[in-house]
Amino acid sequence: MKSIVDGVLKFQKHTFPGLSGLFKELATAQNPSALFITCSDSRVVPELLTQQDPGDIFVIRNAGNIVPSYSSAPGGVTATVEYAVAVLGVSDIVVCGHSDCGAMTAISSCKCLDHLPAVAGWLRHADSAKAVNAARIHASPAARLSSMVRENVIAQLVNIKTHPSVALALEQGSLNLHGWVYDIETGSIVALDGASNQFVSLAEFPQTVATPAKRSVLAA
Ligand SMILES: [Zn+2]
C-alpha cells in the first residue's frame, strides 16, 4: 500500500501541476467519446494502451470483461452502459478481452469454481461463448484459451445489443461497436471485423468495426 500512497503524493506534486488546466476544465463536465469495457486484470490498463487522457474514455472493468444481457434487475454494468450511451452519448463502445485472462482460463479449462460461487455465477454470462468454444477442436490448451477469449468478446457484443439504449443508438446510426483482444506480451491488438466475423490486426486495419453494416429498413 505504501507505493500506492507514495504514488498519490508524487501525482499531486509532479503530475497534477502540469495538467491543472485540463483538470480545471474537467472539474464540472465530462465528454468522453467512447465506453471502454475490459477485464479487471492488473496488466490491462485502458488509458495506457489507448494513450487517452483523463476525460477521454468512460470505463467499465470486471472479471472477464462481461456485459450481462439486459435485465430490469439492478446491475452495475447495465446502469453504466445506459448512462454512457443515453446521457454521455458516446459514439463508440469497445469490448476488450486480453491474453492470459484468468476468467477465460477457468472457463476454457473447465476448472472447478465450486469454491468461488460469485465468480462462477458471474461467468455464466459467457456461457454461449463457452458452448461454442467447447464444441471446437483446438491444437493446444493455449489455442483453446485464445479462442475462448475471442469468442467471449463476440458473446459480450451480442449481449450488449440487448440493452435498449444500445439498440436505439445502433438503429439511429450514432454508435459503433468494437471487439478487441489485447496481447499483454506484445502490446498488439486484434479487432473483430463485423463483415467477415474474423479478428484482424488493428495496426493493419485501424478502421475495423464489429458493428455489421446497418440494415436498410425498406418501406412496406
Ligand atoms: Zn481477464
Side-chain angles (χ1 to χ4, degrees), residues 67-70 77-78 81-82 159-168:
V67 182
S69 293
Y70 181 76
V77 173
T78 300
V81 166
E82 186 176 84
N159 287 352
I160 205 168
K161 288 183 205 166
T162 65
H163 292 241
S165 57
V166 172
L168 177 61

Side-chain angles (χ1 to χ4, degrees), residues 147-166:
S147 172
M148 182 66 217
V149 169
R150 294 180 183 205
E151 286 303 325
N152 180 51
V153 167
I154 293 171
Q156 303 316 318
L157 286 169
V158 171
N159 287 352
I160 205 168
K161 288 183 205 166
T162 65
H163 292 241
S165 57
V166 172

Side-chain angles (χ1 to χ4, degrees), residues 39 41 64-65 98 101-103:
C39 189
D41 195 293
N65 39 272
H98 68 97
C101 182

Side-chain angles (χ1 to χ4, degrees), residues 3-219:
S3 73
I4 293 177
V5 175
D6 286 348
V8 170
L9 301 180
K10 189 175 159 196
F11 167 73
Q12 291 174 344
K13 192 169 176 190
H14 299 293
T15 308
F16 187 89
L19 293 169
S20 59
L22 173 62
F23 284 118
K24 190 166 187 191
E25 261 179 50
L26 292 173
T28 54
Q30 64 167 332
N31 187 27
S33 64
L35 168 61
F36 199 95
I37 302 170
T38 193
C39 189
S40 295
D41 195 293
S42 62
R43 301 163 293 177
V44 182
V45 184
E47 292 81 0
L48 181 66
L49 69 91
T50 60
Q51 293 289 286
Q52 296 299 290
D53 287 329
D56 288 344
I57 55 173
F58 207 61
V59 175
I60 294 173
R61 301 185 68 169
N62 60 52
N65 39 272
I66 298 281
V67 182
S69 293
Y70 181 76
S71 153
S72 56
V77 173
T78 300
T80 309
V81 166
E82 186 176 84
Y83 188 78
V85 176
V87 178
L88 297 175
V90 297
S91 59
D92 295 271
I93 298 177
V94 181
V95 175
C96 183
H98 68 97
S99 61
D100 199 45
C101 182
M104 293 306 113
T105 301
I107 295 174
S108 73
S109 61
C110 290
K111 248 187 213 157
C112 175
L113 293 175
D114 286 352
H115 63 304
L116 298 173
V119 174
W122 178 244
L123 294 180
R124 296 297 302 269
H125 296 293
D127 271 356
S128 62
K130 178 183 179 180
V132 168
N133 203 50
R136 291 203 183 125
I137 295 168
H138 304 281
S140 64
R144 186 187 306 124
L145 172 59
S146 173
S147 172
M148 182 66 217
V149 169
R150 294 180 183 205
E151 286 303 325
N152 180 51
V153 167
I154 293 171
Q156 303 316 318
L157 286 169
V158 171
N159 287 352
I160 205 168
K161 288 183 205 166
T162 65
H163 292 241
S165 57
V166 172
L168 177 61
L170 288 171
E171 170 63 23
Q172 293 177 334
S174 60
L175 181 67
N176 271 312
L177 302 180
H178 308 262
W180 291 3
V181 175
Y182 170 67
D183 186 77
I184 291 168
E185 187 172 356
T186 64
S188 63
I189 287 176
V190 288
L192 178 66
D193 173 22
S196 65
N197 222 27
Q198 301 289 318
F199 282 86
V200 300
S201 162
L202 185 66
E204 284 178 50
F205 302 99
Q207 309 292 334
T208 304
V209 291
T211 322
K214 191 164 157 39
R215 66 193 160 86
S216 58
V217 180
L218 299 174

